[in-house]
Amino acid sequence: MNEKKQEDDWLKSLFSRMPEEELPASFGEKMMKRIEAETVRLRKRNERIGLALVILASSGLIGLATATLLYIGLPRIEWELPELSTLPFYLYIGTLSLLLLGIDHILVRLYGKKNE
């Protein structure tokens, strides 16, 4: 215990002999810039790691889906065209939908700006 006290006294005497130095006026500004640069660097690194993990996981899922489809066999997809007798009905519904969307767009442009 006595040795520890002597060592502490010796260190105190050494530190008391050291001249007091003032920090430069721009020390705080320089330190803040370094801290900001380090924060940006860490954020970019974390974004890169996250992006790499997302790409890796997505690639794994795509590979697994492809392997599953190849293993079970791809089902044959057959397309059938609708009967031409229903074409006027589909054209009527499509035209009516586009007309209503157009009216909605015009009403939003007219009355939507007044509320802002």
Side-chain angles (χ1 to χ4, degrees), residues 45-62:
R45 186 193 71 171
N46 289 340
E47 286 176 2
R48 283 189 214 113
I49 290 173
L51 182 61
L53 289 174
V54 166
I55 290 171
L56 182 67
S58 298
S59 299
L61 288 173
I62 290 170

Side-chain angles (χ1 to χ4, degrees), residues 5-115:
K5 193 172 193 181
Q6 287 176 349
E7 189 176 314
D8 287 344
D9 291 339
W10 180 69
L11 285 174
K12 282 182 184 179
S13 67
L14 281 178
F15 281 120
S16 65
R17 288 187 216 158
M18 286 178 57
E20 289 266 339
E21 290 187 24
E22 292 283 327
L23 291 174
S26 63
F27 176 78
E29 183 180 333
K30 286 180 182 178
M31 190 57 67
M32 287 305 293
K33 284 183 181 178
R34 291 172 93 185
I35 290 171
E36 287 177 16
E38 183 68 16
T39 303
V40 168
R41 187 186 70 79
L42 287 174
R43 188 177 327 131
K44 285 183 179 179
R45 186 193 71 171
N46 289 340
E47 286 176 2
R48 283 189 214 113
I49 290 173
L51 182 61
L53 289 174
V54 166
I55 290 171
L56 182 67
S58 298
S59 299
L61 288 173
I62 290 170
L64 182 63
T66 304
T68 302
L69 285 175
L70 291 176
Y71 178 73
I72 63 171
L74 293 173
R76 185 176 177 112
I77 300 174
E78 295 181 16
W79 295 91
E80 290 184 22
L81 292 175
E83 294 179 22
L84 291 179
S85 63
T86 58
L87 185 62
F89 173 73
Y90 292 131
L91 287 175
Y92 171 72
I93 295 295
T95 306
L96 187 61
S97 299
L98 286 175
L99 182 66
L100 290 173
L101 282 171
I103 292 171
D104 179 60
H105 177 70
I106 291 170
L107 290 175
V108 166
R109 283 182 57 195
L110 288 176
Y111 296 109
K113 289 183 181 179
K114 291 181 182 176
N115 292 335

